[in-house]
Amino acid sequence: MSKRLFTNASLATLVETGTPYGLIADGALVIDGDRIAWAGSAKDLPADWASLDGEDLGGRLVTPGLIDCHTHVVFGGNRAREFEMRLEGASYEEVARAGGGIVSTVGATRAASEDALLAAALPRIDALIAEGVTTIEIKSGYGLDRETELRMLRTARRIADQRPIRVRTSFLGAHAIPPEYKGRPDAYLDEVCLPALEAAHAEGLVDAVDGFCEGIAFSPEQIARVFDKARELALPVKLHAEQLSNLGGAALAASYGALSADHLEFLDEAGVKAMAASGSVAVLLPGAFYTLRETQYPPLELLRRHKVPVALASDCNPGSSPLASLLITMNMGCTLFRMTPEEALAGVTREAARALGLTDQGTLEAGKRADLAIWNVNHPAELSYRIGFNSLEKRIFGGSR
Ligand code: DI6
Ligand code: FE
């Protein structure tokens, strides 16, 4: 099948060559089937490719397709009322304790059929696709009963049949304690969460196991029980950690070789060192920081100093981050967290791929998947700089379109 040559391109390869963005100004790129066959400086294009009829990109920027490595895009209902409550002065924790928060979305999600969940999720997926997203992670965690957790994951898998996007699923049964198990978190784990994880895994619905380690959710000891089950099933783990307080969740996740620990506003240096040692990615979620008007910043300087890879994601969810834009996420990563535009772009490509354990995505180099975003910009910093402006010219998924 199809070999394609792109010429007159500016390539933000994100390959760690020492050049910012791995940028190649007068670049060319060759696709063979669904893989990148060659990417480099036009003058070095091998003769056997040079004979192809090239598509002239007019100097446009090419990046790897964007990857949103932490989302909750499958859910029922919305939480606009809670948004109003918070504006009237209630905190996120107060809303949660008053039966709002995650638990209110659980009610709406349990009530929704698989078709209804899919129909509600697709517009959010389309918004991400319109910005060049080619891979998305989707979590369960708004069912908190076996049937609904599985329904959420089946819905997530169906998204990949309905749209040109790759989906990685995470089982997040340990997201919140459902009302029927109030005050009995261990019973919830024994009777619902762990059996549901086994059932979902048996159905091929689980790519990774996630949890929410927090005062309003599960303790480190309880998360360890979930991670032990994940280990038994040979599934990788990740964790919502240190979002509202420091319980040592990131270090716990690191001790299980976690793919990532996410949020991390309250992470301390011991946690950073543990993540560095395990190679876990720090996934920062500025949409939640912004929505909750958090004032505690994730320790970016420490993460840099200890060389922990940093990814950025939307955390798209109905409560703490009703955000379906990775471009705005990148802008927030820079403006709120003081990331550089280069870190922001790496955070939604190379490091997001790493956070999902995907070794064949996230950079422009031979052998990687031909998932590309082509932008009407001259320099990659423009992607993070603008707010609410989409410069995408064209998206290529698996070598086509
Ligand atoms: N942390 C988050 O930011 C989301 N889940 C979590 O554990 C929020 C989920 C929600 O508010 O619905
Ligand atoms: Fe989340």
Side-chain angles (χ1 to χ4, degrees), residues 118-157:
L118 181 65
L122 287 177
R124 304 190 266 270
I125 298 293
D126 289 339
L128 292 166
I129 285 176
E131 290 188 346
V133 173
T134 49
T135 293
I136 182 176
E137 184 261 16
I138 303 176
K139 303 173 194 298
S140 70
Y142 289 122
L144 310 182
D145 63 30
R146 175 186 173 125
E147 192 191 322
T148 314
E149 286 295 304
L150 268 68
R151 190 159 74 249
M152 288 185 72
L153 293 169
R154 289 187 199 115
T155 305
R157 288 276 190 246

